[in-house]
Amino acid sequence: MDPKVFSRENRTDQSKDSDYILVGGGLQSGLMALAIAHHRPEADVILIEQNSMLAGNHTWSFHATDLVADCAPWADLLVESRWPGYHVRIGNRTRSISIPYCTCSSSHFNAVLTQRASDSRLRILTDTKVEAIDSDGVLLGDGHRLSAPVVIDNRGATPFDANQYSGGFQKFWGFELKLNRDWPHTNPIVMDDQIDQQDGFRFIYSLPMETRRVLVEDTRFSNNPSIDRDDCWEKVRAYVESQGCHDWQVIREEHGVLPMPMAGSMPGTGLPGLAGGYRGGWFHAATGYSFPLALQVAHTVATYPGSELSDQLHKLSIEHAWRAHFARFLNRLLFELVKPQTRYQIFRRFYRVLDQAAIGRFYGHRFTRWDAFRIIVGFPPMGLRPMNFLRSFSKRSTYQIPTQPSTQSLKVPG
Ligand SMILES: Cc1cc2nc3c(=O)[nH]c(=O)nc-3n(C[C@H](O)[C@H](O)[C@H](O)COP(=O)(O)OP(=O)(O)OC[C@H]3O[C@@H](n4cnc5c(N)ncnc54)[C@H](O)[C@@H]3O)c2cc1C
């Protein structure tokens, strides 16, 4: 039987192929599929991915506190590695944070979803491109049409338009290394800025996946999106050697350029119809991360009837709107108010003034108004560019939804 012809026999609405169609097989669709399988095990879900594997090539990191009680029963499966805490080293200060830190790789994510497809009513179509989406169905590249009462666009970021974008970038190139001796740190170091500073604020991020397997990334908060693999490798290599490891094998690489907007529409408001993940603007503008918001969107989708989803996602968007504005304001401070060489002061202050719970809330897009106040009050001490900062408010950005988090599609304004 053609895999795209689905049995309608046991369906409540026999005129449809499924209860849900999730377009795109990345982070957001995967989380929705797990949440629906947990909360509505009787529901049929079709998840459609254009590539042959789900989830691309990522290592998603998150705080264990992002897995709030509502999501833990179905999202815990995704925790592939977990550490009791992590360190940050900025401007000669080291701080240890004891919030458990977790990661999930694309391959683990793919394995969890494939397993779920074998024991639930989830159907995964890979190598299948969706050409068009409307409120009750999708048109596939081969001309098939599939229908469902709930269709959600989770196709990830849209292509970058340099002329319409105003903001900075978080860009990184990571190398996963197999070492011939033990890595000296048992916990992640999510920022170590004891390296040459250039191209904005630059630091090394390291995740010890096993005693002799480590992911090391060169990361920068920069005003331009270009990234050079060899330059990043040089920094990573020198750092790894400085940690006493001189022999290794590179077993995987990943890279990204995440937009850090200063303006633009709020989560869930950029598109007609239902959209999640980056496509729907559900990401943290000041970190570029989307895992925490994607969990909340997935929970909402799985716990309300389809007819209420639009209203419920709108409510969630309103709940997060002031935080989204504040995160964009922080990006103005970071990329316009301080000079690139003094950008590190903002990070140093952040880790100095916030207590651990507030740090967890900030990354999880759950911060309070008091947390926001603490982050900016007293800031900043030196190296200011007040005129740039003021001008940034008059930059009208038509930036609607986030840009492609990938180097290939990025162009620097001419
Ligand atoms: C290398 C990297 C590391 C990151 N690390 C983190 C992290 O640690 N923590 C964090 O919170 N965030 C991280 N992010 C940011 C963000 O969370 C990810 O980009 C996340 O994957 C976005 O999820 P998404 O579901 O919106 O989009 P994606 O995960 O990009 O998924 C979109 C999917 O849709 C598919 N698709 C697109 N068009 C079609 C079509 N027409 N038909 C069918 N399928 C289609 C794509 O192939 C893709 O698989 C990272 C980003 C990158 C690039």
Side-chain angles (χ1 to χ4, degrees):
M1 188 172 91
D2 188 319
K4 287 166 203 152
V5 178
F6 297 105
S7 162
R8 299 181 176 194
E9 270 171 31
N10 300 320
R11 304 200 32 64
T12 332
D13 180 348
Q14 298 201 348
S15 66
K16 307 283 186 197
D17 295 297
S18 183
D19 295 299
Y20 297 85
I21 293 177
L22 308 178
V23 184
L27 179 66
Q28 181 68 84
S29 282
L31 293 176
M32 284 180 186
L34 294 176
I36 295 168
H38 177 81
H39 287 286
R40 299 181 179 252
E42 74 294 349
D44 287 325
V45 178
I46 300 174
L47 185 157
I48 308 172
E49 167 57 41
Q50 64 186 354
N51 295 324
S52 54
M53 284 256 301
L54 301 178
N57 175 27
H58 301 82
T59 306
W60 288 292
S61 300
F62 48 98
H63 289 91
T65 47
D66 295 339
L67 299 176
V68 286
D70 288 345
C71 302
W74 50 269
D76 262 349
L77 288 171
L78 294 173
V79 177
E80 183 180 6
S81 305
R82 184 185 171 108
W83 297 269
Y86 60 89
H87 311 287
V88 286
R89 288 184 185 157
I90 304 172
N92 293 325
R93 288 168 193 259
T94 299
R95 180 160 177 201
S96 299
I97 312 279
S98 55
I99 307 174
Y101 198 66
C102 309
T103 60
C104 172
S105 65
S106 293
S107 56
H108 180 72
F109 192 85
N110 196 58
V112 169
L113 264 293
T114 306
Q115 172 61 36
R116 191 45 87 239
S118 72
D119 62 16
S120 75
R121 298 178 71 90
L122 166 66
R123 250 81 64 85
I124 297 176
L125 300 181
T126 50
D127 295 307
T128 304
K129 183 160 184 182
V130 169
E131 292 296 343
I133 303 178
D134 57 51
S135 58
D136 65 354
V138 296
L139 180 66
L140 306 182
D142 64 4
H144 270 92
R145 184 177 160 83
L146 295 175
S147 60
V150 179
V151 181
I152 309 183
D153 184 354
N154 297 326
R155 284 176 295 173
T158 51
F160 180 76
D161 181 346
N163 296 321
Q164 295 192 354
Y165 177 68
S166 69
F169 301 89
Q170 180 190 172
K171 53 194 189 184
F172 50 89
W173 205 299
F175 300 85
E176 193 170 326
L177 307 173
K178 206 170 161 190
L179 306 169
N180 75 340
R181 53 158 292 174
D182 292 355
W183 183 246
H185 312 287
T186 50
N187 282 341
I189 301 177
V190 303
M191 277 185 194
D192 187 344
D193 76 349
Q194 306 305 297
I195 59 164
D196 285 349
Q197 289 296 316
Q198 59 188 73
D199 193 11
F201 175 53
R202 186 170 190 172
F203 60 88
I204 296 286
Y205 172 90
S206 60
L207 285 180
M209 315 300 254
E210 294 168 6
T211 44
R212 295 191 175 196
R213 183 165 65 90
V214 62
L215 174 67
V216 187
E217 288 183 358
D218 176 348
T219 304
R220 300 170 219 181
F221 283 80
S222 168
N223 289 77
N224 84 74
S226 61
I227 186 163
D228 180 280
R229 182 227 177 247
D230 294 343
D231 178 40
C232 294
W233 168 244
E234 271 315 300
K235 291 291 175 296
V236 165
R237 188 189 56 70
Y239 184 81
V240 171
E241 290 189 344
S242 74
Q243 305 302 304
C245 298
H246 299 275
D247 206 3
W248 57 74
Q249 197 189 332
V250 178
I251 53 178
R252 195 179 66 85
E253 297 183 23
E254 70 178 64
H255 66 279
V257 179
L258 307 180
M260 315 280 293
M262 296 178 197
S265 56
M266 296 302 107
T269 60
L271 290 177
L274 299 175
Y278 255 73
R279 177 69 54 152
W282 295 99
F283 71 112
H284 192 321
T287 65
Y289 278 18
S290 68
F291 200 97
L293 282 173
L295 283 169
Q296 294 186 39
V297 171
H299 176 74
T300 302
V301 164
T303 50
Y304 286 95
S307 55
E308 292 179 26
L309 281 186
S310 188
D311 287 348
Q312 292 302 330
L313 288 174
H314 184 61
K315 264 192 200 162
L316 191 65
S317 171
I318 290 172
E319 198 185 303
H320 282 283
W322 77 266
R323 296 189 183 94
H325 280 296
F326 179 73
R328 285 158 170 78
F329 174 72
L330 286 184
N331 285 342
R332 290 173 194 278
L333 296 178
L334 197 60
F335 293 102
E336 298 289 347
L337 183 60
V338 293
K339 291 183 181 143
Q341 58 273 28
T342 52
R343 197 165 281 159
Y344 75 94
Q345 293 177 352
I346 296 186
F347 291 88
R348 186 163 66 179
R349 178 182 159 73
F350 175 89
Y351 283 107
R352 201 178 64 228
V353 301
L354 290 194
D355 62 35
Q356 296 197 153
I359 290 172
R361 288 194 295 270
F362 180 78
Y363 279 99
H365 217 263
R366 289 177 284 106
F367 48 94
T368 63
R369 289 178 198 273
W370 174 247
D371 297 336
F373 180 74
R374 289 293 293 132
I375 292 170
I376 53 169
V377 166
F379 168 86
M382 56 193 277
L384 305 186
R385 302 185 304 183
M387 291 316 293
N388 280 20
F389 181 60
L390 289 177
R391 272 199 296 269
S392 75
F393 285 91
S394 61
K395 277 187 191 167
R396 293 301 303 155
S397 172
T398 51
Y399 181 86
Q400 287 294 312
I401 44 181
T403 55
Q404 187 87 20
S406 141
T407 45
Q408 283 84 359
S409 61
L410 294 170
K411 292 187 195 74
V412 190

